Amino acid sequence: MKKVAIAHLKGGVGKTTTAVTLAHLAAAEGYKTLLLDLDAQGSAGYILRVDTAHTTTAKAVARAKKRLADFIISTDYPNLSVLPGALSFRKLPQMLADYQDDNDPFRAIFRRLGKGYDLLLVDAPAGLTYESEAILKAVDLVVAPVVPTPLAMHSFSILRDFMQEKTAHKKGQPTQLIGFYAMVDRRRKLHRETVAEAIWPIVVPNSSAVERMTTERKPLGELRRPGPALPAYRALWAEMKDALTPL
């Protein structure tokens, strides 16, 4: 099983819509995929129309309880399941610090959840906390959406340097990092100039279709008119598969 986190220091950069879109693309290709929503708002589960009446608790996640997998919910899409977020997840950083004796608590969490899956994809919370540090150490790959502005690019560089420091000596290979331009509005000069520097090949445009994911509550690939963002996400998924070979 390969483990991927969609992460960034900043909120509002499209992490959840990216996570849902990539999870759906993976599942559509036949990879048995689990989307782990660590957002207290439970946005990924909302988009995927899962029943969140009986979600798990932060305590169950932090302690990696055996019954944790019982809270995984199948979606309407073949090969795609989700462990929905819950309001109590806002307490996860402190609980993880309190309950775990080692410095890699997500190993046990992923072991409980990942049996039988090809890909575990984490919608990680924003910021750098004990929780996010533990996620970065436990996954094989981090995918970071970056809005083409100086502050967002600076935040990405902080994330990159933090990962290099914290994951360089992890068991196995260091965690890989893929950045891509997100929410790009080519009408804005700053966006055009930043993207023209071509640090990354993947450019996901600012798109009403991505916004409609939250109103129609469907993955991007299931919308009637997915727009130009979908080919960009397909290219991102192809880059991820190359990085995760063999998947």
Side-chain angles (χ1 to χ4, degrees), residues 137-152:
K137 289 180 179 179
V139 298
D140 304 297
L141 173 68
V142 170
V143 176
V146 183
V147 179
T149 65
L151 284 178

Side-chain angles (χ1 to χ4, degrees), residues 6-11 15 38-40 89-98 102-106 122-138 155 158-159 162-163 165-167:
I6 311 301
H8 200 284
L9 274 65
K10 292 175 62 63
K15 292 194 305 296
L38 291 180
D39 185 350
F89 283 11
R90 71 191 189 280
K91 302 175 183 178
L92 258 179
Q94 185 59 51
M95 286 186 174
L96 287 166
D98 290 343
D102 60 60
N103 61 359
D104 194 4
F106 272 91
V122 182
D123 184 8
L128 288 178
T129 64
Y130 181 85
E131 176 188 10
S132 56
E133 178 181 342
I135 293 170
L136 298 179
K137 289 180 179 179
S155 294
I158 294 174
L159 174 65
F162 183 81
M163 285 182 56
E165 175 187 353
K166 297 298 183 180
T167 72

Side-chain angles (χ1 to χ4, degrees), residues 1 24 60 76 105 134 147 174 183 194 197 224:
M1 177 190 67
H24 179 256
D76 293 333
V147 179
M183 302 173 66
T194 304
E197 296 176 2
R224 184 177 177 184

